[in-house]
Amino acid sequence: MGKSTLLHCLGLLDIPDSGEIRINDQVVQFDSKDKLAQNRRRSIGFVFQFHYLMAELSAAENVAVPLLIQGVSQAEAIERSKLWLGRVGLSHRLTHRPAELSGGEQQRVAIARALVHQPKVILADEPTGNLDPDTARQVFDVLKEECRKLNSILMMATHNMELARNLDAVKTLHRGVLE
């Protein structure tokens, strides 16, 4: 199992070959796609290496998507997305589309989108992998600080050992085994 596969299993996107995943001391059953989606929407935020922003939506609209999926009104979802974009330093870029944003700004939009519904767990797969070192550090600092404020668990897969050393615990995945 590789790092991305591990995160996908933890994020209930893939079914593990063995073992079990628990959320709030309840074993996750992989027999209902609807229940898996509910668990993801309620408890998990994702930050991917390749942002996965929707090109036709503004930054604020991209951040609002998880809230809209949960049934939050559009007006409230946009207001909350504006708040979160402010928290990641992008209040001045609310109406900009992804193509109008730098790589670091796109990644901060992705972070705001992951945090907007205040999940218990943030899964970040190489969240700074495509950024220059200074921007990577800034994005990492924002992600770590916002997770601290939310009291969320940050699980991050990265090859950047400098950033990894700034996490509370570090595990190495070597040939499919966590060490």
Side-chain angles (χ1 to χ4, degrees), residues 60-80:
E61 292 165 335
N62 266 287
V63 173
V65 167
L67 297 174
L68 295 170
I69 291 170
Q70 288 182 345
V72 173
S73 74
Q74 185 170 358
E76 183 181 341
I78 292 295
E79 283 308 307
R80 286 170 59 183

Side-chain angles (χ1 to χ4, degrees), residues 40-174:
R40 278 193 300 270
R41 286 193 302 262
R42 191 174 43 248
S43 303
I44 303 168
F46 296 92
V47 181
F48 299 102
Q49 181 176 4
F50 299 106
H51 327 309
Y52 296 112
L53 301 176
M54 291 178 253
E56 67 279 3
L57 300 181
S58 70
E61 292 165 335
N62 266 287
V63 173
V65 167
L67 297 174
L68 295 170
I69 291 170
Q70 288 182 345
V72 173
S73 74
Q74 185 170 358
E76 183 181 341
I78 292 295
E79 283 308 307
R80 286 170 59 183
S81 72
K82 289 177 181 179
L83 171 77
W84 277 96
L85 285 166
R87 288 178 76 165
V88 298
L90 292 176
S91 293
H92 64 294
R93 306 291 268 169
L94 301 173
T95 61
H96 290 75
R97 303 217 185 295
E100 301 168 316
L101 301 171
S102 71
E105 289 171 331
Q106 289 179 32
Q107 194 62 309
R108 286 186 282 159
V109 170
I111 289 168
R113 180 185 59 200
L115 297 171
V116 71
H117 66 291
Q118 301 181 355
K120 301 280 187 222
V121 177
I122 303 296
L123 300 175
D125 192 358
E126 291 288 354
T128 61
N130 292 318
L131 305 174
D132 66 81
D134 289 338
T135 304
R137 183 62 198 203
Q138 291 170 358
V139 165
F140 173 78
D141 288 345
V142 166
L143 180 59
K144 186 176 172 194
E145 177 65 16
E146 293 304 326
C147 285
R148 185 192 64 73
K149 287 178 185 175
L150 287 175
N151 199 29
S152 295
I153 296 169
L154 171 60
M155 298 179 77
M156 184 172 79
T158 185
H159 288 102
N160 186 330
M161 293 312 294
E162 179 185 337
L163 295 182
R165 282 190 286 275
N166 290 287
L167 296 169
D168 294 333
V170 176
K171 298 287 185 186
T172 303
L173 184 64
H174 183 68

Side-chain angles (χ1 to χ4, degrees), residues 30-46:
F30 286 86
D31 57 348
S32 169
K33 289 183 181 183
D34 288 340
K35 285 183 183 176
L36 291 172
Q38 286 175 345
N39 275 322
R40 278 193 300 270
R41 286 193 302 262
R42 191 174 43 248
S43 303
I44 303 168
F46 296 92

